[in-house]
Amino acid sequence: MRRLFVHSPICVGQPLTLPSDTSHYVSRVLRSQVDDEFEVFNGDGSAYLSRITHLSKRDVTLDIHTQSSQQPQPSLRIHLGVALSKGDRLDTIVQKCTELGATDITPLITKHVAFKLNDTQREKKHAHWHKIMLSACEQCQQNHVPTIHPITPLDQWANEQQADTALYLHPYAEQSVHQLAQRSITQLSLLIGPEGGLSEADVRIADTAQFEGVTLGPRILRTETAPIAMTAIAQFLWGDV
C-alpha cells in the first residue's frame, strides 16, 4: 500500500484534494489511475485508506473511506542534538533516525562547525530536512511525524533540555551505555558532535547543563553513524523495540 503525507485534516467520508506538488507526484511520477488506493496520514497518529476518484495533471482527489490504524504516542521521546556537517551526512541522520523513532532533531552549531549559513540557506535546509522526515515516515509506516527544529547554538539547545536523562557521546567518557540499562527513561536528550568531535568548550557546556558523558565502546564512530547507533540502542533499552 503506497502512503502519502498530507498537511490537511483527514475525515472518513469526506473527499480530499491533494496539493499541486503531491498531485503531480501521484499522477505523473507514480502514474496512478482512478480507483488506485493509497494510505494517507497527516501526523495525528492515524492512517486512512483512500481511493482516487478524480485525476488530472494538476488535481488529484481521494475518497477517504476507512480509518486503517491509530498509533499510540512513542513510549520513549528522543531529542537528538546533532552538530551541523558538510555534505549529506545530516540528511542520512534525519532519514535513519526518523525511521528508528526519534521524535525531535535539532541541528546544532558547535565549536568545530567550520561553516556558516545565512537565513535563506537555513530556511532551505530546514525545508529539505522536513521533506526527508516525511518521506521516511511514509516508508516506515510511522504516523507520528517528528519535529525538525531550527539550527540552534549548542549552549542554547543544551540549556533548554528538560528530559529526565541527557547524554552526550564521547569516546573517552568513563561511563558506557550498558551501565545505564537499568534506568527507567521516557525522555532522552542526546548530543552528538561534528566530524572533529566535541571541543573542550562544548563538553563544558554539556556538563554545565547536566548532560552525562557516555561511550559506545572502543571504536570511534563517524558523525552520521553515532546518532543512528545510539537511537537504535536507546529504543532497545527503553523504547518500543
Side-chain angles (χ1 to χ4, degrees), residues 94-96 98-99 131-142:
V94 169
Q95 180 188 62
K96 301 306 178 186
T98 296
E99 292 177 18
K131 193 171 183 178
I132 290 174
M133 271 186 170
L134 296 180
S135 296
C137 289
E138 288 175 347
Q139 185 274 326
C140 71
Q141 306 292 311
Q142 181 166 305

Side-chain angles (χ1 to χ4, degrees), residues 74-79 162-167 175-190 212 214 230-231 233-240:
S75 58
L76 172 66
R77 298 195 63 83
I78 303 174
H79 191 155
Q162 298 182 352
D164 50 44
T165 299
L167 306 174
Q175 183 175 224
S176 63
V177 172
H178 71 77
Q179 291 175 273
L180 307 177
Q182 300 306 313
R183 292 192 188 181
S184 177
I185 297 175
T186 59
Q187 294 179 311
L188 174 66
S189 293
L190 179 64
E212 302 174 61
V214 293
M230 187 59 206
T231 301
I233 291 169
Q235 289 286 26
F236 175 76
L237 292 177
W238 308 296
D240 54 14

Side-chain angles (χ1 to χ4, degrees), residues 49-222:
L49 295 179
S50 66
R51 180 178 60 86
I52 296 177
T53 56
H54 167 78
L55 183 144
S56 68
K57 293 181 180 179
R58 296 183 178 181
D59 298 303
V60 173
T61 301
L62 304 177
D63 170 47
I64 309 298
H65 59 78
T66 307
Q67 181 175 342
S68 62
S69 63
Q70 171 69 45
Q71 290 179 353
Q73 290 287 342
S75 58
L76 172 66
R77 298 195 63 83
I78 303 174
H79 191 155
L80 295 174
V82 185
L84 284 170
S85 301
K86 292 184 178 179
D88 60 358
R89 293 183 179 90
L90 200 51
D91 293 5
T92 301
I93 292 169
V94 169
Q95 180 188 62
K96 301 306 178 186
C97 290
T98 296
E99 292 177 18
L100 289 166
T103 53
D104 298 82
I105 299 177
T106 301
L108 298 177
I109 300 172
T110 64
K111 180 69 173 179
H112 290 161
V113 171
F115 61 98
K116 296 182 180 180
L117 299 173
N118 59 38
D119 290 344
T120 300
Q121 291 171 323
R122 289 182 181 220
E123 290 175 4
K124 288 182 178 179
K125 283 287 189 182
H126 187 273
H128 174 67
W129 292 323
H130 182 62
K131 193 171 183 178
I132 290 174
M133 271 186 170
L134 296 180
S135 296
C137 289
E138 288 175 347
Q139 185 274 326
C140 71
Q141 306 292 311
Q142 181 166 305
N143 296 335
H144 293 285
V145 178
T147 300
I148 180 75
H149 296 271
I151 297 170
T152 305
L154 170 60
D155 56 348
Q156 177 183 331
W157 179 81
N159 289 317
E160 289 175 348
Q161 299 309 296
Q162 298 182 352
D164 50 44
T165 299
L167 306 174
Y168 64 89
L169 293 187
H170 196 287
Y172 307 116
E174 296 181 359
Q175 183 175 224
S176 63
V177 172
H178 71 77
Q179 291 175 273
L180 307 177
Q182 300 306 313
R183 292 192 188 181
S184 177
I185 297 175
T186 59
Q187 294 179 311
L188 174 66
S189 293
L190 179 64
L191 169 60
I192 309 291
E195 291 92 331
L198 294 171
S199 69
E200 291 184 4
D202 294 332
V203 170
R204 285 196 296 270
I205 289 172
D207 287 338
T208 300
Q210 305 300 310
F211 279 65
E212 302 174 61
V214 293
T215 177
L216 290 178
R219 290 159 294 280
I220 306 297
L221 301 182
R222 292 174 64 92

